[in-house]
Amino acid sequence: MNSNDENVKRGVWTPWAQVLCYDCHGNENLPNPKTDEEWARMTAPRPVADGNAITSCDNCGAHVQMDESVAYEHELVLALRERGFDAEMRQTGGMVSACGIEPSEMLKGAGGPDDISEILVTYDEGSYWMGVYDNDFSPADIGWGNVEFKSQSAVLDWAFMNQEKIAKI
């Protein structure tokens, strides 16, 4: 979702890997709670800022704007889940976000160090990047992993062509 002509509430990326509107997040959960006047300004819809994109609040479903990398990753999670694939937002360290795709039981294997533990897709500057990681949290040395996609639909196409690699909901 993206429209710079629309006024949209701001969203927040939480340490527990959720996208929330500020109303659902709550003023009391901010590091420095705002006055009533500041809170009213923070929660008011506004034009979509440069570098932001639109997604939805995980709690109430309202449209929210936030950094485009988080918004596009979140939209990818929603699209994958809608198609029956097991995906969720993940924190990858610090406050860095990613679309986490659960690997199939076949890829997880017996849980050895070279078996696949996670597939992460990040968004940056117009591209999606898929990284595949083993149980030692190192990039897996496999031909189909660690690739770039130019659109969300390209990631979804990959998922459909590689369904045996992805866990289902």
Side-chain angles (χ1 to χ4, degrees):
M1 276 182 255
N2 203 1
S3 171
N4 289 345
D5 300 330
E6 187 178 351
N7 285 337
V8 181
K9 292 180 177 189
R10 291 188 301 168
V12 61
W13 170 238
T14 69
W16 51 94
Q18 280 189 303
V19 169
L20 297 174
C21 67
Y22 275 101
D23 289 322
C24 289
H25 182 272
N27 190 13
E28 67 281 358
N29 294 319
L30 293 174
N32 299 307
K34 307 299 180 196
T35 66
D36 289 345
E37 186 177 298
E38 291 170 325
W39 184 249
R41 279 195 308 271
M42 277 187 72
T43 57
R46 60 183 63 193
V48 178
D50 287 340
N52 281 359
I54 301 170
T55 189
S56 57
C57 173
D58 284 329
N59 190 47
C60 72
H63 285 169
V64 294
Q65 62 171 297
M66 56 191 335
D67 180 81
E68 70 179 9
S69 63
V70 176
Y72 290 143
E73 292 159 3
H74 190 252
E75 286 295 302
L76 178 59
V77 165
L78 297 174
L80 286 164
R81 291 188 67 77
E82 183 176 286
R83 289 158 178 84
F85 297 111
D86 190 355
E88 65 183 9
M89 288 299 288
R90 301 235 176 105
Q91 287 276 4
T92 61
M95 284 296 283
V96 180
S97 62
C99 165
I101 300 173
E102 187 68 23
S104 67
E105 292 301 317
M106 174 189 76
L107 288 180
K108 287 182 182 179
D114 294 329
D115 291 329
I116 304 303
S117 67
E118 64 182 351
I119 303 168
L120 298 176
V121 180
T122 59
Y123 178 87
D124 188 36
E125 297 183 11
S127 293
Y128 293 86
W129 295 89
M130 181 178 70
V132 180
Y133 300 89
D134 63 25
N135 282 322
D136 288 334
F137 301 105
S138 298
D141 187 17
I142 53 176
W144 58 267
N146 309 311
V147 297
E148 175 185 11
F149 300 97
K150 292 296 185 183
S151 67
Q152 181 189 86
S153 63
V155 179
L156 295 174
D157 289 346
W158 178 89
F160 279 114
M161 292 186 308
N162 293 277
Q163 292 187 42
E164 76 282 357
K165 293 178 174 79
I166 305 172
K168 308 299 185 282
I169 297 174

